[in-house]
Amino acid sequence: MNIEATAVPDAYRITPRLLTDDRGSFHEAFRSDALERDTGHVFTAAQCNHSSSRRGTLRGMHSVLLPPGQAKYVSCVRGSVLDVVADLRLGSPTFGAYTSTVLEAHGGTGVFVAEGLAHGFVALTDDACVSYLCSTAYVPGTQVDVFPLDPALGLPWHLGLTGEPLLSPKDAAAPSLARAADLGLLATYDECRAHYARQRRTR
């Protein structure tokens, strides 16, 4: 597999090598040893989630308070989505930067999202199914939501939409980027770097 840095530090695009024959195809969807070797990030899956979405559904932008924090490995296992990761770590040299990737089931490409980064996607097909490997189990009250259509984020949802996106009531009512910062919901860059370093030391 090929592990590629993106415009957002600590977010990586992972493209597998497909082995195909007349039966179909096979690929390694994820390898934690390869991720650690190529990026320095330690990732052990504690929970796996799936979501199914109709075309035009926008889920995001989501993160988790630090602590506990939550890294994710995201892939599309049915249909396709436009996946977006944004750097919302306060004090980051690339604060506000984002990267977008079309994830398609037939290609197997995935995205690694480190703790402190925000993630979301818009479904490009009906019944698009996204798989999330998560480094920590769900803890009620720790999820961070930021309004995905906030002009301050400037995220490229238009690349995957021809009309208004479908949002959950929770995402539609999420605070703006500025409000999330005022509420103390966003991790700092230094806190995240210290968290990554602790994971490497305690591996």
Side-chain angles (χ1 to χ4, degrees):
M1 60 181 57
N2 180 57
I3 300 178
E4 169 191 4
T6 70
V8 176
D10 305 302
Y12 296 87
R13 188 175 298 110
I14 301 174
T15 306
R17 183 168 65 94
L18 298 181
L19 303 175
T20 60
D21 58 25
D22 55 4
R23 299 168 300 168
S25 68
F26 172 87
H27 68 272
E28 293 182 341
F30 178 77
R31 286 188 55 162
S32 59
D33 60 340
L35 180 77
E36 183 176 356
R37 180 192 67 224
D38 291 356
T39 72
H41 282 277
V42 177
F43 180 87
T44 301
Q47 182 170 322
C48 181
N49 302 327
H50 280 190
S51 66
S52 181
S53 305
R54 58 181 281 192
R55 186 178 185 276
T57 295
L58 198 169
R59 298 180 185 266
M61 296 294 288
H62 300 153
S63 187
V64 171
L65 292 173
L66 189 68
Q70 186 178 81
K72 300 176 184 176
Y73 177 74
V74 184
S75 60
C76 183
V77 296
R78 185 173 60 241
S80 64
V81 302
L82 178 70
D83 188 89
V84 175
V85 181
D87 188 351
L88 303 188
R89 299 169 296 186
L90 296 174
S92 170
T94 54
F95 181 80
Y98 65 82
T99 185
S100 62
T101 306
V102 174
L103 303 181
E104 298 174 304
H106 71 268
T109 296
V111 174
F112 174 75
V113 184
E115 296 90 339
L117 302 177
H119 172 262
F121 69 85
V122 62
L124 303 179
T125 61
D126 282 324
D127 203 22
C129 184
V130 169
S131 172
Y132 319 73
L133 294 179
C134 303
S135 65
T136 56
Y138 170 70
V139 178
T142 62
Q143 184 161 328
V144 175
D145 303 317
V146 177
F147 184 52
L149 303 178
D150 183 354
L153 292 173
L155 300 176
W157 304 119
H158 63 282
L159 296 177
L161 293 176
T162 56
E164 288 298 311
L166 176 63
L167 300 176
S168 70
K170 179 173 69 74
D171 286 345
S176 66
L177 176 61
R179 181 62 177 153
D182 288 344
L183 292 171
L185 298 177
L186 305 181
T188 70
Y189 182 72
D190 288 344
E191 288 170 340
C192 291
R193 301 305 298 177
H195 179 78
Y196 309 153
R198 281 194 301 273
Q199 288 180 313
R200 289 191 290 271
R201 288 197 301 269
T202 59
R203 192 192 186 301

